[in-house]
Amino acid sequence: MTTYTEPAREISVIDDCDVLVAGAGPAGVAAAIASARAGAKTRLIEVHGCLGGIWTAGLLSWIIDAANKPGIMSEITNELERRGARATRGGSNYAYDVETMKLLLEELCLDAGVKVQLHTRVVATGKVGAKRLAAAITESKSGRQAWGAKVFVDATGDGDLAARAGCEFDVGREGTGETQPMSLIALVVGLQADEIEPFIGGGVSEPKKRLLAEMKRAGVSPSYEGPTLFRVRDDLFALMANHEYGISAVDAAEVTEATIRARREVHRLVDALRSLGDPWSEMRIVCTAEQIGVREGRRIHGLYRVTKDDLIRGARHEDAICRTGFGMDVHSTDPTKSRAVYAEERAPVKAYDIPLRALVARDVDNLLMAGRCISGDFLAHSSYRVTGNAVAMGQAAGTVAAVSAATEAAPRDVPWHEVSQALDRLNADYPAQ
């Protein structure tokens, strides 16, 4: 049998809301909180068993480009600091405790009035006409269900909702379709910070080089040439040391194989380091991520496309929803080539704006995107994909969605001054760090 025809059936509509957000990673959580705080009845749907996506299910443990982001990102930073769950190394990026982050995001969403549904994946859409979404259709232990809304936000990372709604999209490097590799993060214990200080990294290259040399001394060569230890607490660290190349983020079989290979490699690397003796002799893996870290999937076509030229010239936009300071960060797309081969792609970047138009779907009238699936080219994406920016995008998308639902104007038709005023109110209590 090569095909199977599924019988037609009626699907129960579980909820009708103002705004539905698909995906509860950094962008989705921010979108849901912003929408609910703006007065919209908001539903947040997530495939994993916790909120946070790559921050939590993915164990990322490191937030980049958060310092100049007021509002929800600043609020999260302040609260992590208050709870003793934030660790810095002198720069603006910082490490955080994953379990504290899970609890904090749940509290922020519930306090805002967001209705959360975990363990649920968007698999299809219902439409009214060619360009308007009526429902997101999901699968879970509860079976197939439909969720109605006036406005939708795709924060799935891979643009799942938008693709299923018929939006056009791009994937990977222009011309070849090559995508950046995936990485599986692990949390490790048994290390003392003062004993491994030269190997603790972040955005600095020297500790990565030392850690790579140490792994090679132990007889192993990691698939990622810049293995990194992030310090979360004195005896708790996150390890990013592998690359899975040529994997499609939207092919479950490929992602499965990549995850299994990556987990095997991470254990092999840790075992090798431990064999060297002190300071690695007590190093143990506490857990590996349930979600492999995906750097890129689909980039959904929007009303504006963020490009490499925007980064180089430091583009400014009247409808700017955040300013991005992170440079082009292309991890080698070819395992036979060093990252240095692509050095010419990492041109100097001036701080640039992400416009609201890049978050508004071109092909569906009541759909916005937030996070790494917004509209942009391959090189621009390598900059704006980091999670400090994702939160700012989510905050803007959720705000626009709430205004759109209340006024019945399509997101593209919501006046910018209304969006700007709403964002100013949201940002007032938590200015940029």
Side-chain angles (χ1 to χ4, degrees), residues 180-183 224 240 242-243 293-297 329 331 372 381 385:
Q180 293 192 62
M182 302 178 182
S183 293
Y224 175 35
M240 182 178 72
N242 83 292
H243 270 170
V294 178
R295 290 186 173 86
E296 61 176 314
D329 184 28
H331 289 237
R372 57 183 171 83
H381 168 274
R385 65 179 170 81

Side-chain angles (χ1 to χ4, degrees), residues 382-400:
S382 75
S383 166
Y384 64 65
R385 65 179 170 81
V386 296
T387 60
N389 299 322
V391 172
M393 293 183 219
Q395 175 174 289
T399 300
V400 175

Side-chain angles (χ1 to χ4, degrees), residues 107-147:
E107 291 174 350
L108 290 174
C109 282
L110 295 180
D111 288 348
V114 177
K115 292 185 178 180
V116 175
Q117 174 95 353
L118 302 175
H119 307 292
T120 303
R121 181 185 295 278
V122 173
V123 297
T125 60
K127 296 176 75 175
V128 177
K131 298 195 68 174
R132 186 169 183 83
L133 275 174
I137 298 169
T138 65
E139 289 279 2
S140 69
K141 287 287 189 179
S142 300
R144 201 168 181 91
Q145 297 175 314
W147 310 78

Side-chain angles (χ1 to χ4, degrees), residues 281-309:
S281 59
E282 298 301 318
M283 185 180 187
R284 292 289 188 280
I285 293 176
V286 176
C287 60
T288 51
E290 61 179 285
Q291 170 191 327
I292 194 168
V294 178
R295 290 186 173 86
E296 61 176 314
R298 304 180 186 95
R299 303 190 303 275
I300 307 301
H301 291 182
L303 302 184
Y304 183 90
R305 185 171 183 252
V306 184
T307 68
K308 173 186 177 181
D309 289 340

Side-chain angles (χ1 to χ4, degrees), residues 251-384:
D251 186 314
E254 290 188 15
V255 175
T256 297
E257 292 172 2
T259 302
I260 292 171
R261 278 196 305 269
R263 186 169 288 116
R264 184 184 301 120
E265 180 184 6
V266 170
H267 276 271
R268 184 173 69 251
L269 295 173
V270 170
D271 289 347
L273 284 173
R274 189 168 54 246
S275 73
L276 293 176
D278 293 338
W280 311 105
S281 59
E282 298 301 318
M283 185 180 187
R284 292 289 188 280
I285 293 176
V286 176
C287 60
T288 51
E290 61 179 285
Q291 170 191 327
I292 194 168
V294 178
R295 290 186 173 86
E296 61 176 314
R298 304 180 186 95
R299 303 190 303 275
I300 307 301
H301 291 182
L303 302 184
Y304 183 90
R305 185 171 183 252
V306 184
T307 68
K308 173 186 177 181
D309 289 340
D310 288 340
L311 278 60
I312 293 173
R313 66 186 177 87
R316 295 287 182 264
H317 297 280
E318 182 181 359
D319 60 340
I321 54 91
C322 75
R323 185 158 296 173
T324 300
F326 192 57
M328 297 180 201
D329 184 28
V330 180
H331 289 237
S332 173
T333 56
D334 184 339
T336 67
K337 297 178 181 178
S338 166
R339 188 175 183 180
V341 172
Y342 301 100
E344 72 279 2
E345 294 180 332
R346 296 195 296 277
V349 172
K350 297 178 182 178
Y352 64 96
D353 293 342
I354 295 176
L356 175 61
R357 286 162 291 154
L359 280 60
V360 179
R362 186 194 68 186
D363 302 324
V364 174
D365 288 339
N366 59 335
L367 174 65
L368 297 117
M369 298 85 69
R372 57 183 171 83
C373 65
I374 71 163
S375 183
D377 68 17
F378 174 78
L379 291 176
H381 168 274
S382 75
S383 166
Y384 64 65

Side-chain angles (χ1 to χ4, degrees), residues 138-194:
T138 65
E139 289 279 2
S140 69
K141 287 287 189 179
S142 300
R144 201 168 181 91
Q145 297 175 314
W147 310 78
K150 296 177 181 177
V151 185
F152 297 78
V153 179
D154 187 333
T156 61
D158 297 322
D160 293 339
L161 176 63
R164 283 160 176 74
C167 291
E168 292 188 4
F169 55 85
D170 300 310
V171 177
R173 190 188 300 275
E174 287 79 10
T176 68
E178 293 176 329
T179 57
Q180 293 192 62
M182 302 178 182
S183 293
L184 187 75
I185 311 295
L187 294 181
V188 298
V189 294
L191 302 172
Q192 297 303 314
D194 58 343

